[in-house]
Amino acid sequence: MLNLLPLTFAAPLLGFILLAFSRSRISENLATVIGVGSVGISALTTLLVGFDFLSNPPEGGSAVITLWQWMSVGSFKPSFALHLDALSLTMLGVITGVGFFIHLFASWYMRGDAGFARFFSYMNLFVASMLFLVLGDNLLFLYFGWEGVGLASYLLIGFWYHDAANGAAARKAFVITRVGDTFMAIALFILFREFGTLNIQELAVLAPAAWPVVNGVGATMATVTALLLLGGAVGKSAQLPLQTWLPDAMAGPTPVSALIHAATMVTAGVYLIARTHAIFDLSPFALQCVGTIGALTLLMAGFIAVMQTDIKKILAYSTMSQIGYMFLAEGVGAYQPAVFHLMTHAFFKALLFLSSGSVILAMHHEQNIFRMGNLRKHIPFIYWCMLIGTLALCAFPLTSGFFSKDAILHEAYLGGHYELWIAGLFGAFLTGVYSFRLIFIVFFGAERWRKAELHGHDDHGAHHGLSPKDEPHGAKTLDHHIPLAVLLVMALIGGFIHLPLDGVLPAAEHAEHGPAWIAYLPIPVSFAGIFVSWFLFLKRPDIPAALASGSVTKLIGQFWKSAFGFDWLYDKLFVKPFVWAANINKNDIADWVIGLIPLTLRGANSLAAATQTGNLRWYAFAAGAGAVGLIAAIALH
């Protein structure tokens, strides 16, 4: 069965090629069969390969399938090879499993869109690129998929490119993530220079031998390399300071948001750190940076989410915060809980984003939560999907998020990282506040919308939204209900899945397990956040209104709502200076300087031509003057 592994990425890649070259000539139904079916084949293949891998574990706990020699440049001979172990298998399951249900939902959501086939071609490319990333046995192969994910995200974020704002959001995501990618590329150059290979398994053996940790201090090159890799991870996973692209990425269709936030792009950075943990473990300072960045990001994103009014942006900042928890876990050496939370987060965040898409269509493309209200009576199925997803997000007991997030906090405490533990606890409180703020405002309270808006027709009159009573509208309703129902179940039971990561990622070892109450403290903290949200946004909504009118509280709220001013800061530091330099150089100064060369030659030619008068006396004078000058020069010498 392991020989089927190449089919996992070959199927969506073939789907991308077929849809890309024939999208204007095929029907929506055929595009659905190709786009959704290709990822379905990939998911089924993953299931078969995973069953075989777990039933008959290969020697050493991993298998390598070499497809061909990629290139041969001197001693640099990377192979196009697939590496399968428990970590890559977990990622395969998330990408293809969750990705398939997102594709299935998208076949309902995008019905009637003029770019239907084009949309699925980009989605297939996204999945294929992410599979390249997690299956590569060397960092160059991984980087190939890394850049493919960046390209696909650019295409999907700017999918509705007729709106200039969407194109700007796509460019922003592309440029900012390229900053991180540059750091990562430099790290690859260093690793090859130091060890002559980019094979991940070989580096895991060579690096500790060459860069030992001495008295708790890592080697300089180990720290530099780990920090450069961290730069790449920060860019892809939208962590401080390269986080500003993620909220704008909501410009793409909602299934794109689900795919980016749940199954593909933002998880890439978490995967990179886990996969190269052997290098990060050689630099305690780099690991401290990973944990600190995660803690700061999860807190900042939580504060920002409290002030957002766009339903998708609230979920976007929620993703940023949850990825922060994963970075925090990796920073304290809890790699297994980080990957576990990556998986459970994929379940409930995909559920939340897809459900928000249903809400948006039901509200006739309205995304402002303060123009909604009491929707639980009109779209009850979506209400329950959003509620279960939010409970899992808040780590409600026995939901999937409870097992993974609490494991992260417990590991942080046991590892003696008390400042990170406190940050994670406060982040859990903020999660309860902002997530149930969305639930209470959207599904409870007064109906702040016009009845006519709840009719489920888009601007072109196509009936592909929910009706007020959430009634089925033909067979296509299955495309909507099945993905949500499956993800709802996984959001509930996903925490009971055991990931066999012991042979791949180190398990944190602690001499003591700490007091029992430490393991359960996150529960009342999360409940406190939910209670505060209920009191402020459902019981006493006049209090937030009063706070919004206060001079100091209004200023703080605006600061949070503006995402701590990072866009303003980067505009001042980078964008405006670049535009200023571009305006100065709009006529291309370098080109003008180079243009002086032919201008000088033409001038010299004109002077030389001026001497050719045809006058014999002038020629005789010139010859005589030249002879006198030559004699004088010889005499003086």
Side-chain angles (χ1 to χ4, degrees):
M1 287 295 183
L2 293 181
N3 292 330
L4 295 175
L5 188 60
L7 188 59
T8 55
F9 68 81
L13 184 61
L14 179 60
F16 159 70
I17 294 172
L18 292 175
L19 291 169
F21 286 97
S22 61
R23 62 188 182 210
S24 61
R25 296 181 293 274
I26 62 175
S27 65
E28 285 188 353
N29 289 336
L30 182 55
T32 299
V33 170
I34 296 174
V36 180
S38 62
V39 181
I41 292 173
S42 183
L44 180 60
T45 304
T46 298
L47 189 63
L48 295 174
V49 169
F51 180 79
D52 185 40
F53 180 88
L54 296 175
S55 301
N56 305 290
E59 185 177 354
S62 64
V64 177
I65 300 176
T66 303
L67 301 180
W68 61 78
Q69 184 77 39
W70 189 355
M71 63 181 76
S72 179
V73 183
S75 61
F76 185 51
K77 299 179 180 180
S79 297
F80 202 91
L82 311 179
H83 180 87
L84 183 67
D85 58 15
L87 177 57
S88 54
L89 181 61
T90 300
M91 295 300 297
L92 276 179
V94 170
I95 297 164
T96 62
V98 176
F100 168 72
F101 290 110
I102 293 174
H103 275 68
L104 183 60
F105 182 91
S107 68
W108 170 85
Y109 188 90
M110 297 299 293
R111 186 69 60 172
D113 192 282
F116 189 86
R118 176 169 62 91
F119 174 82
F120 276 102
S121 69
Y122 296 163
M123 291 280 277
N124 279 187
L125 177 63
F126 210 151
V127 170
S129 298
M130 191 66 187
L131 292 173
F132 281 142
L133 193 159
V134 301
L135 284 174
D137 83 323
N138 64 81
L139 289 174
L140 184 62
F141 191 176
L142 184 152
Y143 194 74
F144 179 76
W146 191 271
E147 293 302 309
V149 168
L151 171 62
S153 66
Y154 166 78
L155 295 172
L156 284 167
I157 293 169
F159 177 75
W160 287 317
Y161 58 87
H162 295 292
D163 186 341
N166 296 339
R171 291 192 298 274
K172 183 177 181 180
F174 191 78
V175 171
I176 292 178
T177 54
R178 293 291 80 70
V179 174
D181 296 355
T182 303
F183 290 137
M184 182 178 171
I186 297 173
L188 302 194
F189 291 139
I190 292 175
L191 288 170
F192 181 73
R193 186 195 69 178
E194 294 291 319
F195 304 110
T197 182
L198 290 179
N199 183 279
I200 298 172
Q201 307 309 312
E202 292 177 4
L203 290 173
V205 175
L206 296 173
W211 296 335
V213 179
V214 179
N215 298 324
V217 179
T220 300
M221 288 308 298
T223 299
V224 170
T225 305
L227 290 177
L228 288 170
L229 290 173
L230 175 59
V234 160
K236 274 290 187 289
S237 292
Q239 300 291 284
L240 279 169
L242 300 178
Q243 81 288 354
T244 57
W245 67 269
L246 191 62
D248 290 6
M250 298 302 97
T254 302
V256 174
S257 304
L259 195 62
I260 289 176
H261 288 250
T264 54
M265 189 163 173
V266 295
T267 63
V270 180
Y271 171 79
L272 175 67
I273 296 175
R275 178 56 80 189
T276 59
H277 70 87
I279 295 173
F280 280 90
D281 288 341
L282 301 177
S283 174
F285 175 75
L287 277 180
Q288 185 179 9
C289 289
V290 174
T292 302
I293 287 173
L296 292 176
T297 304
L298 74 88
L299 289 175
M300 184 190 72
F303 283 118
I304 298 171
V306 170
M307 297 304 298
Q308 297 304 306
T309 59
D310 186 312
I311 187 172
K312 287 175 66 176
K313 285 195 174 183
I314 294 172
L315 296 178
Y317 284 110
S318 168
T319 296
M320 192 185 299
S321 181
Q322 296 306 304
I323 298 294
Y325 275 103
M326 300 173 204
F327 270 62
L328 187 155
E330 292 179 321
V332 302
Y335 298 105
Q336 293 190 30
V339 175
F340 187 28
H341 193 53
L342 184 155
M343 180 192 71
T344 60
H345 175 261
F347 297 144
F348 61 75
K349 189 50 63 70
L351 175 63
L352 285 170
F353 263 110
L354 297 185
S355 299
S356 73
S358 296
V359 171
I360 292 168
L361 286 188
M363 290 301 299
H364 195 43
H365 301 278
E366 179 59 68
Q367 295 184 202
N368 189 331
I369 61 174
F370 287 100
R371 294 177 184 171
M372 302 177 188
N374 203 30
L375 291 183
R376 75 185 190 282
K377 294 183 178 179
H378 301 275
I379 46 175
F381 176 62
I382 302 305
Y383 162 67
W384 282 107
C385 289
M386 288 288 289
L387 180 61
I388 296 300
T390 302
L391 288 173
L393 172 63
C394 293
F396 192 84
L398 300 183
T399 62
S400 59
F402 167 75
F403 296 98
S404 56
K405 184 190 287 187
D406 285 16
I408 291 174
L409 295 175
H410 199 208
E411 290 288 349
Y413 180 86
L414 295 180
H417 304 275
Y418 302 120
E419 70 287 352
L420 299 182
W421 174 70
I422 293 172
L425 276 179
F426 191 67
F429 171 79
L430 289 175
T431 302
V433 174
Y434 71 70
S435 59
F436 269 87
R437 168 179 175 264
L438 186 155
I439 293 294
F440 292 137
I441 292 174
V442 172
F443 293 101
F444 292 84
E447 297 181 353
R448 294 173 290 269
W449 40 269
R450 292 182 293 111
K451 295 283 186 180
E453 291 180 335
L454 261 177
H455 55 64
H457 290 72
D458 66 10
D459 297 331
H460 305 286
H463 187 190
H464 66 206
L466 293 176
S467 67
K469 295 182 179 179
D470 195 20
E471 295 174 350
H473 51 87
K476 295 182 181 65
T477 304
L478 294 176
D479 302 344
H480 170 268
H481 281 43
I482 290 177
L484 294 179
V486 172
L487 290 171
L488 184 150
V489 172
M490 296 308 298
L492 286 173
I493 69 170
F496 294 97
I497 298 175
H498 172 68
L499 299 180
L501 296 172
D502 290 336
V504 183
L505 299 175
E509 297 181 0
H510 306 289
E512 299 180 1
H513 291 284
W517 61 270
I518 290 295
Y520 299 101
L521 184 59
I523 298 176
V525 170
S526 296
F527 275 107
I530 296 172
F531 173 79
V532 168
S533 184
W534 169 82
F535 183 75
L536 291 179
F537 302 107
L538 192 60
K539 186 71 173 177
R540 293 291 303 276
D542 57 303
I543 295 179
L547 291 173
S549 61
S551 57
V552 176
T553 52
K554 181 179 180 180
L555 186 63
I556 294 173
Q558 289 175 342
F559 181 62
W560 290 356
K561 189 172 183 179
S562 67
F564 282 48
F566 272 92
D567 279 318
W568 175 87
L569 178 64
Y570 290 168
D571 184 62
K572 298 294 184 184
L573 289 179
F574 304 112
V575 178
K576 287 189 175 179
F578 181 83
V579 172
W580 174 80
N583 284 330
I584 290 179
N585 193 37
K586 61 184 177 182
N587 293 322
D588 199 339
I589 295 174
D591 192 47
W592 178 81
V593 172
I594 294 173
L596 289 176
I597 297 174
L599 185 65
T600 303
L601 293 175
R602 283 196 298 269
N605 178 70
S606 297
L607 291 173
T611 65
Q612 306 302 309
T613 63
N615 190 316
L616 184 60
R617 283 181 293 182
W618 165 253
Y619 292 154
F621 170 77
V628 170
L630 182 62
I631 292 170
I634 293 173
L636 292 174
H637 181 72

